[in-house]
Amino acid sequence: MRHPHLAAIDATTWPGVARIPDGRLVDLRARLAEAGFARACSAAGLDLDPAGTPDLVVENEALFPRLAVSGWLGLAESFMAGEWRSERLVDVLAALIATGYRPRTRLPAPAAYDGGELPAELVALSAGDGLSAFGGVFASGVPTTVRTAVPNHAPGRGPDTYFIDLQTFTEPVGVDREDLGDAQTRSVTMLLDAARVTAGTHLLEFATSGGAVAIQAAHRRATVDTLTADPAQARAVGEQLLLAGVEPSVHVSVIDSPVPGPRDWRGSYDAIVSVEKLEVLEPADRVRQLRAFDRLLSVGGHVAMQTVTATDAMTPAARQALDVLRAYVWPGLEYPSVEEIHKLVDKESGLRIVGQAHVGSHHELSLELQRTQFEGHMREAAAAGFDIAFRRLWVYQFALREALFRLGMLDTVQFTLTHRNRQGRR
């Protein structure tokens, strides 16, 4: 039986949202899930009393069988179904994660990442520059750089430690929504500077960031190859390049796999840039990506890679909360720690990290501005074909990631890499 409140949900597109779990065993587990949710809200200091000013309002008890069967994914799908709501969504998610709320669940493994990218029409509804889905760096952040020794995770390849330039930024202040575009542009500028991109540089971007990196690099008179496994993304980027007047300097190519192997792409590049791609790749593809950078980077060249990382504060509850992103947005998503990235680079490639800039507080604010901008464009999103379930999902994913940054469980790092020795590794 189709429930009335789910009438607007397309069962073909959203089978997990359109169907409420049922059955005698589910009913029993739902009662336990309801009690567990109430305890978690109480421990988190969340008010559920509709007579007052509640932090969240449960509109339909279908929330509880979803929690019983799918845990945090069920919580998100219930939000997508309109079964609960909150005017303080980021606060609610942060409070539940902080209190360690972790309903028991067993979910099937998500599908493998196939290289698909976010639709350009969707990104434009929340991007400050109309192109970028990634975090920015605001002008009010003050950088500090120190030389820091880090362990060498590749035994037999050099000394036990080596030095990197470790850069941190103060939190942004006095920022409003109009500053988002400038912040995202500054993030690209930092990456291009780290990769030493100037006039005449031959630059590879993987995967394409929607045009932002390629356009700014072309304005520096670099020659750019930008790769994607998503044909729709390639067409969208081509249109942006044409509008920006840089099409002759940028070549957009579609490859057949999420990561360019030797048969997919060959060449030698002075610089390589990658923006928030490593964290959405499955472990085996992360190795392939680092080896591809190693293979394609010319001697003396540099890689600049912006990646969202997990901090030591990351908890099992937080990782479980990310189930919805793996189910509906980025199938391979798993935020690596900075140490894991260092080990990956040292052990699986001939590259070495030489610079590391931490900008997590700026990414947190970027997400807040992207979320509020998207919420202000709900009608435009509907007109663009994004249905009610998708619109709620998109608000939820912004709020969830913002909550994790607020809790200090996520950080954003720009890594600079170069070959470990002058000969490189061909």
Side-chain angles (χ1 to χ4, degrees):
M1 181 182 70
R2 188 69 182 270
H3 296 265
H5 74 281
L6 298 176
I9 306 298
D10 185 337
T12 302
T13 304
W14 308 103
V17 181
R19 179 184 175 277
I20 300 171
D22 57 11
R24 292 182 61 183
L25 182 58
V26 170
D27 291 344
L28 174 61
R29 292 172 58 190
R31 289 195 291 272
L32 297 174
E34 181 177 3
F37 184 68
R39 286 194 300 272
C41 288
S42 177
L46 298 175
D47 184 5
L48 305 181
D49 186 359
T53 308
D55 293 301
L56 66 92
V57 177
V58 178
E59 300 279 12
N60 193 297
E61 292 190 353
L63 164 64
F64 304 116
R66 294 187 192 273
L67 284 174
V69 172
S70 303
W72 271 97
L73 175 58
L75 181 69
E77 289 179 333
S78 184
F79 183 84
M80 294 163 64
E83 293 160 359
W84 67 276
R85 58 182 170 82
S86 174
E87 297 299 320
R88 300 176 52 236
L89 183 58
V90 179
D91 298 334
V92 166
L93 295 176
L96 287 172
I97 293 169
T99 201
Y101 179 57
R102 193 183 178 194
R104 294 181 179 180
T105 182
R106 291 182 180 179
L107 297 175
Y113 173 67
D114 62 1
E117 302 291 344
L118 300 179
E121 301 87 349
L122 175 65
V123 172
L125 294 169
S126 58
D129 60 3
L131 302 172
S132 306
F134 50 79
V137 179
F138 295 90
S140 55
V142 179
T144 300
T145 304
V146 295
R147 288 285 283 174
T148 303
V150 296
N152 178 9
H153 297 285
R157 298 183 187 176
D160 293 338
T161 62
Y162 58 92
F163 286 89
I164 65 170
D165 290 325
L166 181 63
Q167 189 174 55
T168 57
F169 282 74
T170 60
E171 294 186 2
V173 295
V175 171
D176 56 34
R177 190 183 299 179
E178 286 68 33
D179 296 317
L180 177 59
D182 179 68
Q184 290 176 315
T185 297
R186 185 172 293 101
S187 183
V188 173
T189 297
M190 287 174 57
L191 288 166
L192 294 177
D193 287 349
R196 282 66 165 174
V197 175
T198 59
T201 296
H202 194 191
L203 169 67
L204 173 68
E205 183 196 14
F206 179 77
T208 181
S209 58
V213 169
I215 290 170
Q216 196 174 140
H219 285 157
R220 296 187 180 200
R221 292 184 294 157
T223 301
V224 184
D225 285 324
T226 184
L227 309 183
T228 179
D230 187 334
Q233 179 80 340
R235 291 191 293 271
V237 170
E239 292 173 1
Q240 294 298 333
L241 299 174
L242 186 62
L243 290 172
V246 298
E247 190 180 24
S249 300
V250 183
H251 184 252
V252 185
S253 297
V254 179
I255 58 177
D256 294 330
S257 60
V259 176
R263 295 182 179 180
D264 299 303
W265 199 256
R266 298 178 181 274
S268 181
Y269 293 89
D270 306 309
I272 300 174
V273 170
S274 179
V275 187
E276 296 177 23
K277 180 56 58 178
L278 189 74
E279 58 269 44
V280 305
L281 296 175
E282 296 173 286
D285 279 339
R286 293 179 186 182
V287 172
R288 294 187 188 101
Q289 174 157 306
L290 263 298
R291 289 177 178 174
F293 290 169
D294 187 356
R295 175 175 56 85
L296 295 168
L297 185 68
S298 63
V299 175
H302 289 81
V303 177
M305 179 176 70
Q306 179 166 307
T307 304
V308 179
T309 64
T311 71
D312 291 341
M314 177 67 78
T315 63
R319 291 194 183 277
Q320 192 180 98
L322 292 165
D323 283 342
V324 63
L325 301 189
R326 286 184 281 267
Y328 289 115
V329 188
W330 298 288
L333 179 69
E334 188 65 44
Y335 295 115
S337 68
V338 168
E339 183 180 15
E340 287 170 339
I341 292 175
H342 275 265
K343 288 180 178 179
L344 184 69
V345 173
D346 285 350
K347 293 181 178 181
E348 301 294 346
S349 76
L351 302 172
R352 172 152 290 166
I353 294 172
V354 295
Q356 196 170 296
H358 293 252
V359 293
S361 61
H362 292 250
H363 199 151
E364 177 188 343
L365 183 54
S366 297
L367 287 167
E368 177 185 345
L369 297 178
Q370 288 173 303
R371 173 177 54 81
T372 56
Q373 182 161 305
F374 183 79
E375 289 173 334
H377 289 146
M378 285 293 199
R379 290 185 178 180
E380 292 87 340
F386 299 106
D387 64 19
I388 185 62
F390 189 98
R391 298 196 299 275
R392 289 170 180 156
L393 167 66
W394 216 240
V395 170
Y396 187 96
Q397 66 84 22
F398 277 131
L400 175 59
R401 291 191 289 149
E402 186 183 340
L404 292 174
F405 274 100
R406 179 189 296 181
L407 293 169
M409 295 181 180
L410 292 181
D411 190 10
T412 299
V413 184
Q414 290 191 353
F415 295 94
T416 305
L417 302 82
T418 192
H419 281 120
R420 172 179 298 122
N421 52 57
R422 292 187 62 185
Q423 286 75 35
R425 178 170 148 183
R426 309 316 300 162

